[in-house]
């Protein structure tokens, strides 16, 4: 165990209404986060629809580490480390493809796409060797929920169902927006890099206080309805869902407006095919309810952000370097909606996105600001005086309150206090 | 005459491309927007995107989205370009690929140095242009910026590429 990191009194750096700036900038804390969070808890890796056919593979990650996600010959999803068990070379340098096996270029050891060793050249040199111990490293725990594949690099711990908790209902609601009940990730990813700590990104995803200011430029010129959702007049709420997960629940506002597809800034008349398919699938009344409520805005800790029409997958590379992988959501059975999802996502996100370039600017400037030493603490107390419990016992604040941020830090504190496995 | 040997045409194309580069470097947003044709497409692919109607691109703007991009920059509150990046680019290896009536296809290499409050970044690309004759000048009907490192994670680039 790392003595320096272990000696850090991390619980002393997190208070109910403030957190210490060193949590974002200290390299020793980052190293400890890798062990206590990224290589321990459930981390989102990829979606089953990214490897639709047998032997498909795509390069993914858990924390800074590359992970190969494959669909093996029997159709099972496998998560493999990209490291030859012989002398450590990479066995795959492609971003995606279709391959029944991976061959290390160094000495030509070959592995099946479930990780098992298929063979090595000149086998006479390995007499009596147990081949079953010489496969690719496999992620010890792999589980899916509604097609979303998660991995945990620790063999023991709560199962995925427990880890997701209330986030499962959000994923269910997301899938219901498809006439076929399924979402797909089929449009590829933009990879947007920021010179900032990953936790600044996590917090921002359900921060309802910043949009009116950070995104004022695009709201002004694009007649966007998003701004009013995150205002003092909004009936939307910020909610901490426990287990690190948080959401901006916009449904109260959408229900008040009572406009199907208003959440997507459009109307049934402009997406007649989608509306007909939804009504056929769910009946007119339920379809209308689904189309009024819209899709979730939820941060599933520590790295999956479902943002209405797109997903972001967060990847920490270093204490001050983070990548957001972002893709448009696609709903099975909804081609006309999907085209608009892709167009709107491309306009909003990524390195040149109307929204995300400005979010990225805030992450980076905050990280720069944290280099100043005084005041040493950040204040996260917005809305503490009006926070309440909802009917399910979850903490809820107004649309612009820092209820999610406080919950995220409480969860972080519990993860970081426990000893590394 | 073979377009590749039409030196008058090549000179006109080069002057147009250099002017566009200068307007971009100097953040002359409205003058840059005026270079575009009404049916324009401005495309910066990502990763291995082949069909921008099916896969994510960094930028895939039609004419109205180009206008929106410029409007956002002109608010002065598009924080990723406020303060603006200092930019200087070299566009070279200009080739006229084909000329057909009023339409000219050309390509060039570009190297761009960016300095902003967060650091310095070097960008490199192959740029492909479809230009259309408009009086003595051209309009851009299509520009594709094919970044050398489009498969990698990239820092923000909200300036004009």
């Amino acid at each position: 165990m790392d003595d320096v990191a272990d000696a850090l009194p991390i619980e002393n750096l997190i208070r109910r209404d403030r957190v210490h700036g060193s949590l974002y900038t200290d390299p020793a804390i980052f190293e400890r986060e890798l062990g206590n969070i990224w290589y321990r808890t459930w981390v989102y890796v990829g979606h089953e629809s990214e490897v639709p056919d047998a032997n498909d593979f795509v390069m993914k990650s858990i924390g800074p580490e590359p992970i190969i996600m494959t669909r093996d010959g029997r159709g099972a999803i496998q998560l493999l480390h990209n490291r030859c068990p012989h002398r450590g070379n990479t066995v795959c340098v492609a971003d995606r493809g279709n391959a029944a096996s991976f061959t290390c270029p160094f000495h030509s050891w070959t592995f099946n796409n479930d990780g098992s060793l298929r063979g090595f050249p000149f086998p006479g040199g390995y007499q009596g060797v147990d081949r079953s111990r010489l496969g690719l490293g496999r992620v010890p725990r792999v589980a899916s929920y509604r097609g979303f594949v998660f991995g945990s690099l620790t063999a023991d711990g709560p199962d995925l169902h427990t880890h997701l908790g209330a986030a499962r209902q959000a994923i269910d609601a997301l899938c219901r927006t498809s006439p076929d009940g399924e979402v797909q990730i089929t449009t590829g990813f933009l990879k947007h890099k920021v010179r900032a700590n990953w936790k600044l990104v996590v917090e921002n995803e359900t921060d309802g206080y910043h949009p009116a200011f950070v995104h004022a430029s695009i709201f002004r010129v694009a007649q966007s309805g998003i701004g009013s959702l995150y205002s003092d007049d909004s009936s939307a709420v910020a909610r901490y869902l426990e287990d690190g997960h948080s959401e901006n629940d916009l449904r109260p506002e959408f229900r008040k407006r009572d406009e199907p597809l208003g959440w997507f800034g459009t109307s049934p008349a402009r997406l007649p095919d989608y509306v007909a398919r939804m009504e056929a699938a769910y009946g007119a009344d339920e379809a209308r309810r689904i189309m009024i409520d819209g899709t979730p805005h939820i941060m599933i800790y520590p790295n999956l952000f479902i943002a209405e029409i797109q997903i972001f997958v967060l990847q920490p590379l270093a204490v001050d370097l983070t990548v957001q992988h972002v893709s448009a959501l696609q709903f099975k059975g909804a081609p006309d909606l999907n085209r608009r999802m892709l167009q709107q996502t491309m306009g909003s996100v990524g390195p040149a996105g109307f929204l995300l370039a400005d979010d990225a600017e805030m992450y980076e400037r905050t990280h720069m600001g944290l280099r100043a030493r005084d005041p040493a603490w950040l204040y996260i107390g917005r809305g503490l005086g009006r926070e309440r419990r909802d009917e399910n016992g979850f903490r809820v604040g107004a649309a612009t309150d820092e209820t999610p941020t406080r919950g995220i830090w409480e969860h972080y504190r519990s993860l970081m206090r426990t000893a590394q496995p | 005459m073979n377009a590749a040997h039409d030196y008058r045409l090549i000179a006109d194309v080069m002057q147009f491309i250099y002017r566009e580069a200068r307007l971009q470097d100097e953040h002359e947003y409205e003058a840059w927007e005026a270079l575009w044709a009404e049916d324009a497409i401005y495309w910066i692919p990502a990763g291995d995107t082949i069909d921008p109607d099916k896969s994510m691109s960094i930028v895939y703007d039609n004419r109205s989205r180009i206008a929106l991009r410029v409007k956002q920059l002109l608010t002065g509150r598009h924080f990723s370009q406020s303060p603006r990046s200092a930019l200087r680019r070299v566009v070279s290896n200009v080739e006229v690929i084909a000329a057909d009536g009023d339409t000219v296809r050309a390509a060039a290499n570009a190297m761009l140095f960016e300095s902003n409050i967060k650091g310095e970044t070097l960008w490199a690309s192959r740029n492909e242009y479809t230009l259309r004759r408009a009086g003595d000048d051209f309009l851009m009907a299509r520009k594709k910026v094919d970044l050398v490192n489009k498969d990698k994670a990239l820092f923000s680039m909200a300036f004009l590429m």
Side-chain angles (χ1 to χ4, degrees):
Chain A
M1 197 175 286
D2 185 336
D3 288 342
V4 178
D6 194 45
L8 284 168
I10 284 177
E11 56 266 41
N12 293 339
L13 302 178
I14 302 163
R15 301 270 190 266
R16 188 161 175 242
D17 64 352
R18 62 208 156 107
V19 291
H20 196 272
S22 63
L23 290 164
Y24 299 96
T25 57
D26 185 336
I29 290 177
F30 179 78
E31 289 302 316
R32 187 161 169 169
E33 289 167 352
L34 292 181
N36 275 37
I37 300 173
W38 293 93
Y39 299 156
R40 183 183 201 180
T41 65
W42 287 102
V43 173
Y44 176 70
V45 178
H47 195 272
E48 289 176 8
S49 59
E50 294 179 75
V51 285
D53 300 322
N55 303 324
D56 282 348
F57 71 88
V58 60
M59 193 63 75
K60 294 290 177 180
S61 59
I62 293 182
E65 284 198 19
I67 295 286
I68 314 169
M69 181 168 85
T70 74
R71 187 181 290 275
D72 70 22
R74 294 182 308 281
I77 302 287
Q78 305 280 350
L79 301 181
L80 308 171
H81 292 273
N82 188 16
R83 168 176 169 160
C84 181
H86 176 218
R87 301 285 290 271
N89 209 314
T90 53
V91 299
C92 179
V93 291
D95 280 342
R96 63 175 60 80
N98 184 280
S101 63
F102 300 97
T103 299
C104 176
F106 198 179
H107 302 93
S108 220
W109 285 33
T110 298
F111 306 90
N112 297 308
N113 57 14
D114 63 1
S116 59
L117 177 67
R118 177 178 284 194
F120 31 50
F122 316 146
Y126 292 117
Q127 284 174 18
V129 169
D130 180 2
R131 290 177 172 226
S132 71
R133 297 168 62 95
L134 291 172
L136 297 174
R138 302 176 73 210
V139 173
R141 290 191 296 159
V142 180
S144 294
Y145 186 75
R146 305 291 301 260
F148 291 84
V149 180
F150 296 75
S152 169
L153 292 180
T154 302
D156 304 314
D159 63 16
L160 179 63
H161 201 263
T162 306
H163 166 77
L164 289 176
R168 276 182 278 121
Q169 279 95 60
I171 294 175
D172 292 342
L174 181 71
C175 293
R176 269 201 303 278
T177 309
S178 152
D180 294 352
E182 273 184 53
V183 298
Q184 299 179 312
I185 305 295
T186 54
T187 62
F189 281 83
L190 301 186
K191 303 174 200 172
H192 189 182
K193 189 161 62 168
V194 291
R195 303 167 182 91
N197 185 264
W198 65 276
K199 299 189 293 300
L200 295 169
V201 183
V202 172
E203 291 173 279
N204 191 63
E205 311 298 25
T206 50
D207 174 81
Y209 195 20
H210 79 280
F213 317 106
V214 174
H215 304 306
S217 65
I218 192 64
F219 292 166
R220 188 188 305 169
V221 298
Q223 286 91 44
S224 166
I226 299 174
S228 62
L229 297 169
Y230 299 102
S231 70
D232 245 0
D233 304 325
S234 175
S235 56
V237 297
R239 180 177 291 118
Y240 180 56
L241 293 164
E242 302 295 330
D243 305 303
H245 316 315
S246 59
E247 69 173 351
N248 294 114
D249 185 356
L250 308 174
R251 288 172 300 180
E253 190 66 20
F254 293 139
R255 287 171 185 171
K256 196 168 74 182
R257 299 177 186 185
D258 197 37
E259 295 162 352
L261 294 171
W263 66 274
F264 189 46
T266 190
S267 64
R270 305 192 69 165
L271 289 170
D273 182 50
Y274 172 69
V275 173
R277 288 172 190 237
M278 287 295 284
E279 288 177 347
Y282 299 101
D285 290 350
E286 179 65 9
R288 187 171 196 278
R289 270 193 291 276
I290 295 169
M291 289 189 287
I292 286 171
D293 278 0
T295 50
H297 184 109
I298 182 170
M299 177 66 225
I300 298 176
Y301 200 81
N303 75 325
L304 174 61
F305 174 38
I306 298 171
E308 287 97 342
I309 64 167
Q310 62 246 170
I311 65 162
F312 295 77
V313 185
L314 279 52
Q315 182 188 17
L317 292 181
V319 67
D320 57 357
L321 198 62
T322 303
V323 177
Q324 293 196 85
H325 304 254
V326 55
S327 185
L329 282 162
Q330 299 281 280
F331 294 102
K332 199 172 176 195
D336 53 345
L337 180 65
N338 288 341
R339 270 191 300 277
R340 282 170 174 253
M341 291 264 175
L342 175 60
Q343 287 166 2
Q344 200 162 315
T345 295
M346 282 193 288
S348 306
V349 305
F354 296 136
L355 291 169
L356 265 290
D358 288 334
D359 285 313
E361 188 71 18
M362 295 305 118
Y363 308 145
E364 295 185 323
R365 288 196 206 175
T366 303
H367 202 102
M368 288 165 64
L370 290 168
R371 294 193 186 114
R373 301 186 66 83
D374 186 28
W377 295 77
L378 290 77
Y379 180 60
I380 57 169
R382 180 176 172 80
L384 254 179
R386 57 185 177 185
E387 201 163 275
R388 59 187 171 81
R389 297 268 175 182
D390 69 10
E391 63 278 14
N392 297 309
F394 296 126
R395 266 164 287 175
V396 168
T400 61
D401 285 353
E402 285 164 344
T403 300
T405 296
R406 286 189 291 276
I408 288 166
W409 278 109
E410 182 184 288
H411 183 67
Y412 176 91
R413 190 170 189 260
S414 72
L415 290 173
M416 294 292 279
R417 284 179 73 163
T418 48
Q420 291 193 38
Chain B
M1 185 170 16
N2 184 329
H5 295 103
D6 185 342
Y7 297 112
R8 171 74 190 276
L9 174 65
I10 293 169
D12 287 350
V13 166
M14 286 168 70
Q15 287 302 305
F16 180 88
I17 290 173
Y18 296 163
R19 176 153 47 101
E20 192 222 355
R22 174 171 49 77
L23 294 175
Q24 292 180 307
D25 285 348
E26 296 176 3
H27 303 274
E28 295 282 350
Y29 304 129
E30 287 162 303
W32 178 78
E33 189 192 341
L35 299 180
W36 290 97
E38 280 310 302
D39 57 346
I41 294 290
Y42 174 35
W43 184 27
I44 307 179
D48 51 8
T49 296
I50 295 166
D51 182 349
D53 291 317
K54 292 185 176 149
S55 302
M56 296 284 290
S57 294
I58 298 167
V59 169
Y60 185 51
D61 288 359
N62 59 14
R63 185 63 185 78
S64 69
R65 196 167 270 183
I66 291 169
L68 186 60
R69 196 171 290 282
V70 165
K71 273 189 201 157
Q72 188 184 18
L73 288 162
L74 287 171
T75 63
R77 297 192 63 188
H78 189 11
F79 295 109
S80 49
Q81 277 303 308
S82 179
R84 294 167 173 175
S85 296
L87 302 169
R88 206 45 74 175
R89 74 194 75 195
V90 173
V91 185
S92 185
N93 303 46
V94 178
E95 291 177 279
V96 170
I97 306 296
D100 181 12
D102 285 345
T103 302
V104 180
R105 288 199 301 116
N109 289 350
M111 286 282 281
L112 164 57
F113 186 78
E114 179 197 11
S115 174
N116 63 35
I117 55 171
K118 299 156 299 181
E120 290 88 39
T121 310
L122 194 59
W123 303 87
S125 63
R126 177 73 171 167
N127 295 352
E128 297 171 13
Y129 309 82
T130 301
L131 307 178
R132 197 174 293 140
R133 287 277 183 197
D136 294 339
D137 205 354
F138 293 110
L139 288 174
M140 277 193 292
R142 188 172 185 276
K143 181 181 180 187
K144 177 184 176 187
V145 179
D146 209 8
L147 293 164
V148 169
N149 54 348
K150 65 183 174 179
D151 59 328
K152 302 272 174 51
L154 301 173
F155 290 124
S156 294
M157 35 168 280
F159 54 84
L160 300 178
M161 178 70 82

